[in-house]
Amino acid sequence: MADKKIKVTLVKSPIGAIPKQRATVEALGLHKLNKTVELPDNEAVRGMIWHVRHLVKVEEA
């Protein structure tokens, strides 16, 4: 399980989001719309994604 990855894509702008959500999007490594990052599939990353789930799209890598 340690080598599992997930692809996270920013699909909605965080401009109108609350500052904590904006910081979470930035911490996930998402800087521009429609950009995708590949992250490890662990509880910490899943928790961050859960908080900004309305701004991102998640796929299994």
Side-chain angles (χ1 to χ4, degrees):
M1 174 153 172
D3 60 345
K4 290 183 85 175
K5 300 276 188 181
I6 52 177
K7 288 183 180 178
V8 184
T9 306
L10 187 62
V11 295
K12 187 173 184 299
S13 173
I15 288 174
I18 62 175
K20 187 173 181 181
Q21 291 173 346
R22 250 181 283 165
T24 301
V25 168
E26 189 80 14
L28 285 169
L30 297 166
H31 304 287
K32 292 186 176 185
L33 273 181
N34 298 317
K35 294 298 177 181
T36 302
V37 293
E38 200 167 284
L39 299 167
D41 188 5
N42 59 36
E43 293 299 316
V45 172
R46 288 279 181 174
M48 292 171 75
I49 291 169
W50 186 84
H51 283 284
V52 293
R53 62 192 180 277
H54 57 291
L55 302 175
V56 298
K57 179 179 80 169
V58 180
E59 307 169 10
E60 300 296 325

